[in-house]
Amino acid sequence: MGSANLILIADDEPLLTELLEYRLRAKGFDTAIARDGREALEQFEAVRPNAVVLDAMMPVHDGFEVLRRIRSNEAHSDIPIIMLSARRSQADIVGALEMGASDYIVKPFLPEELMIRLQRLLAGR
């Protein structure tokens, strides 16, 4: 794809991905969608997104495994990854941040807050 504003949304909830895709496109972003962890990794390599919104609980590979695999490649260390999850334990949040997540937002969430956090992370690149 090669867009300068491409966001990969990795989540297995169709209504949530539609909402995020709509909000991101309204802000001028292009989007790619992945419905499970394997597809998220494949899409990440195929489209080279500028940022990732990543659900923690997905089929095949969970978001933590996807995060670990992306961050295992030094070339991807500066790509913002926001974990978006219903998992709200301290261990999950701190664990994701220690693994290299740029931010962690607990569901239910405010879509506009996600947009602002994402724009700040992209501006800081």
Side-chain angles (χ1 to χ4, degrees), residues 7-19:
I7 310 300
L8 173 60
I9 303 166
D11 199 301
D12 60 330
E13 296 178 35
L15 289 176
L16 181 66
T17 56
E18 286 176 29
L19 168 72

Side-chain angles (χ1 to χ4, degrees), residues 87-102:
R87 294 175 69 168
R88 60 181 64 237
S89 77
Q90 180 177 337
D92 290 327
I93 296 168
V94 172
L97 294 171
E98 286 178 341
M99 289 172 60
S102 308

Side-chain angles (χ1 to χ4, degrees), residues 68-88:
R68 186 190 67 73
R69 290 186 186 197
I70 291 172
R71 291 299 192 228
S72 70
N73 184 336
E74 189 65 34
H76 305 315
S77 64
D78 68 328
I79 295 173
I81 300 175
I82 297 178
M83 295 290 291
L84 184 63
S85 178
R87 294 175 69 168
R88 60 181 64 237

Side-chain angles (χ1 to χ4, degrees), residues 16-121:
L16 181 66
T17 56
E18 286 176 29
L19 168 72
L20 292 176
E21 188 171 34
Y22 175 79
R23 292 293 200 122
L24 287 164
R25 288 183 181 275
K27 297 276 187 189
F29 292 101
D30 293 322
T31 57
I33 305 293
R35 305 266 184 225
D36 64 48
R38 180 178 332 149
E39 190 178 353
L41 291 168
E42 290 169 359
Q43 285 275 48
F44 185 86
E45 290 300 324
V47 303
R48 300 290 184 186
N50 296 89
V52 180
V53 177
L54 180 62
D55 183 23
M57 296 183 288
M58 292 185 297
V60 188
H61 303 301
D62 69 16
F64 296 97
E65 178 63 15
V66 172
L67 175 64
R68 186 190 67 73
R69 290 186 186 197
I70 291 172
R71 291 299 192 228
S72 70
N73 184 336
E74 189 65 34
H76 305 315
S77 64
D78 68 328
I79 295 173
I81 300 175
I82 297 178
M83 295 290 291
L84 184 63
S85 178
R87 294 175 69 168
R88 60 181 64 237
S89 77
Q90 180 177 337
D92 290 327
I93 296 168
V94 172
L97 294 171
E98 286 178 341
M99 289 172 60
S102 308
D103 205 344
Y104 195 104
I105 299 175
V106 176
K107 295 176 186 175
F109 67 102
L110 300 170
E112 195 58 31
E113 177 187 3
L114 172 63
M115 296 300 119
I116 290 168
R117 289 180 185 227
L118 183 58
Q119 288 173 320
R120 282 186 181 167
L121 287 168

